[in-house]
Amino acid sequence: MKIGVLGAGQLGRMLALHGFPLGMRFRFFDPTAKGPANDLAEQHAEDYRSAGALKSFAQGLDAVTYEFENVPVESARLLAECVPHVFPPPEALEASQDRFAEKTLFNSLGIPTAPFCCVENVDALRGAVEQFGLPAILKTRRMGYDGKGQFVIRNESHIDEAFRELGGRNLILEGFVDFDRELSILAARNRSGQTVFYPLVENVHEGGILRVARAPAPNLTPAMQPHAEELATRVLNALNYDGVLAIELFEKHGNLVANEMACRVHNSGHWTIEGAETSQFENHLRAGLDYPLGSAHALGYTVMLNLIGTVPVVRDILSVKGAHLHLYNKAPKPGRKLGHITVVGENPEEREVRLQELMEVMGQEISNRS
Ligand code: AMP
């Protein structure tokens, strides 16, 4: 089986690393000359919108998937005409790329979100702020990630500035969810409809970027996991989905509110490499090729720590018992995800001890919330 991947970042790199044992080979497509996946397989470094380049990329591939969410949907559709299968469905990609379409889909399936509306001019923004109250979050409908493309309006005097700063077009205003914490649910569904769910993950962000993920999330009520699975099932079925789907959720007073979804493997699922019976990467590939899915069962109490901006001393990290280091071969730059570390504890207490040890050897601290 030869799989084409749109994007050659760390997600593509880890997809390849988990597809190789199943006998798969890979080809990447990414306009960036040398992505982290580049040292594992051939890469077509061309524009995502070049039909000729996409057609030549498609030659001989059995399936195509994406590891980057802002791939043009038209390119995914074009590839669907050239290769036997593209997964997840381009319709899912399309819905996930536009915050308005995404939240409209959630609500149509009875999945709660923050109140939201499109704002095309400052007067509409003022009206929406009046309706939702402050604080409220103004976001670009498209291309936002890691907290980019958004402005928290705390005061009416910020309205003009927020509108200007985000470009004044294609914006969405969201009511502010005063959440207790952030969670995510990852699911995999294959083409035959078999579905597995990973345990809910608790995500701590710093400066809008995921810093720490704990799985299973601590202190879950018994109802929370089945409830999150039920919400994810609605999305999977509505989109006739195959592949891994991640839904980011806010927990507030024991209720779940959906924020956004990713139609690909997800940073909050990196823990599954060592912490679950089958990794999200392997299950994504199994799902798209309609193989039986592997168990998503957690093997212990896992913490995943993202390495952002700088790479620590490898020897220091490996001195912590049970630490698994994953470096992505990216040049250091502030705010850039350069790798991650995973430790699986036998119980929640051991998980915290190991995390503390990691922070100490790196000389860093973690704030509890961004
Ligand atoms: P997003 O780009 O939508 O994932 O947002 C990035 C981060 O901003 C989230 O992980 C939350 O911490 C915060 N955030 C986004 N939307 C809201 C909201 N409606 N209410 C409160 N916090 C939010």
Side-chain angles (χ1 to χ4, degrees):
M1 283 287 168
K2 186 145 191 175
I3 315 296
V5 183
L6 298 176
Q10 63 265 21
L11 300 178
R13 178 183 170 91
M14 289 185 273
L15 276 172
L17 288 171
H18 292 85
F20 288 148
L22 299 180
M24 297 174 192
R25 286 173 302 135
F26 292 83
R27 181 184 295 156
F28 291 91
F29 192 104
D30 193 320
T32 316
K34 269 188 179 288
N38 184 251
D39 39 357
L40 297 179
E42 58 181 303
Q43 181 183 335
H44 289 223
E46 301 191 64
D47 192 281
Y48 281 126
R49 293 191 185 275
S50 161
L54 290 167
K55 283 182 188 157
S56 113
F57 169 72
Q59 298 256 326
L61 294 178
D62 295 290
V64 166
T65 189
Y66 355 91
E67 65 94 75
F68 171 64
E69 60 207 343
N70 288 317
V71 171
V73 175
E74 309 76 59
S75 306
R77 293 217 162 96
L78 189 145
L79 285 167
E81 291 168 12
C82 312
V83 297
H85 188 53
V86 170
F87 68 100
E91 298 68 44
L93 182 71
E94 188 168 37
S96 72
Q97 286 179 346
D98 177 349
R99 293 183 191 276
F100 181 72
E102 180 178 61
K103 289 195 161 63
T104 302
L105 172 72
F106 287 149
N107 285 180
S108 75
L109 299 172
I111 301 172
T113 62
F116 64 96
C117 69
C118 288
V119 287
E120 295 301 340
N121 55 58
V122 181
D123 287 339
L125 176 56
R126 271 185 218 292
V129 163
E130 205 155 294
Q131 196 187 338
F132 298 159
L134 290 177
I137 306 197
L138 188 64
K139 299 181 180 178
T140 55
R141 280 176 62 168
R142 295 176 165 275
M143 304 296 268
Y145 67 97
D146 286 348
K148 295 190 174 67
Q150 49 182 276
F151 194 115
V152 182
I153 304 176
R154 299 192 181 276
N155 186 306
E156 275 184 31
S157 64
H158 292 154
I159 290 179
D160 287 312
E161 183 193 348
F163 190 76
R164 249 196 337 270
E165 190 156 306
L166 295 189
R169 294 182 57 232
N170 295 325
L171 303 178
I172 178 174
L173 186 75
E174 293 180 18
F176 193 86
V177 181
D178 190 15
F179 54 79
D180 299 321
R181 60 173 169 173
E182 297 189 77
L183 300 171
S184 56
I185 181 88
L186 271 78
R189 183 180 189 269
N190 69 14
R191 292 162 76 181
S192 305
Q194 186 201 354
T195 308
V196 294
F197 299 92
Y198 290 94
L200 276 161
V201 186
E202 180 190 272
N203 300 315
V204 177
H205 294 84
E206 270 177 21
I209 305 176
L210 180 65
R211 178 73 162 132
V212 181
R214 290 176 177 85
N219 307 318
L220 286 174
T221 59
M224 199 74 85
Q225 179 74 27
H227 181 45
E229 292 183 8
E230 152 64 20
L231 299 182
T233 301
R234 289 183 209 170
V235 179
L236 293 172
N237 290 343
L239 295 169
N240 196 21
Y241 196 91
D242 60 339
V244 162
L245 172 77
I247 306 182
E248 296 181 21
L249 303 158
F250 300 132
E251 181 186 347
K252 187 180 174 186
H253 305 324
N255 294 317
L256 295 177
V257 174
N259 179 33
E260 61 178 4
M261 65 179 183
C263 297
R264 53 167 171 75
V265 287
H266 192 255
N267 194 173
S268 70
H270 292 359
W271 68 274
T272 60
I273 296 174
E274 291 89 5
E277 226 160 280
T278 316
S279 75
Q280 62 162 349
F281 303 99
E282 181 173 336
N283 262 341
H284 183 73
L285 297 167
R286 288 192 191 205
L289 297 177
D290 205 21
Y291 291 152
L293 299 179
S295 163
H297 189 72
L299 299 174
Y301 295 82
T302 304
V303 61
M304 190 279 319
L305 180 65
N306 265 343
L307 301 172
I308 300 163
T310 53
V311 176
V313 179
V314 171
R315 183 179 295 279
D316 291 346
I317 300 305
L318 300 184
S319 72
V320 174
K321 187 175 166 223
H324 296 274
L325 177 62
H326 299 255
L327 295 177
Y328 308 149
N329 278 355
K330 287 162 86 174
K333 186 178 162 191
R336 183 177 277 175
K337 292 174 182 170
L338 303 174
H340 72 269
I341 306 166
T342 304
V343 189
V344 187
E346 281 185 15
N347 48 55
E349 295 72 34
E350 187 185 355
R351 168 165 71 187
E352 296 313 309
V353 170
R354 297 282 173 259
L355 175 60
Q356 209 42 54
E357 286 172 7
L358 281 171
M359 300 314 294
E360 275 164 27
V361 297
M362 292 196 297
Q364 293 180 7
E365 283 179 18
I366 295 174
S367 66
N368 246 352
R369 199 157 137 180
S370 56

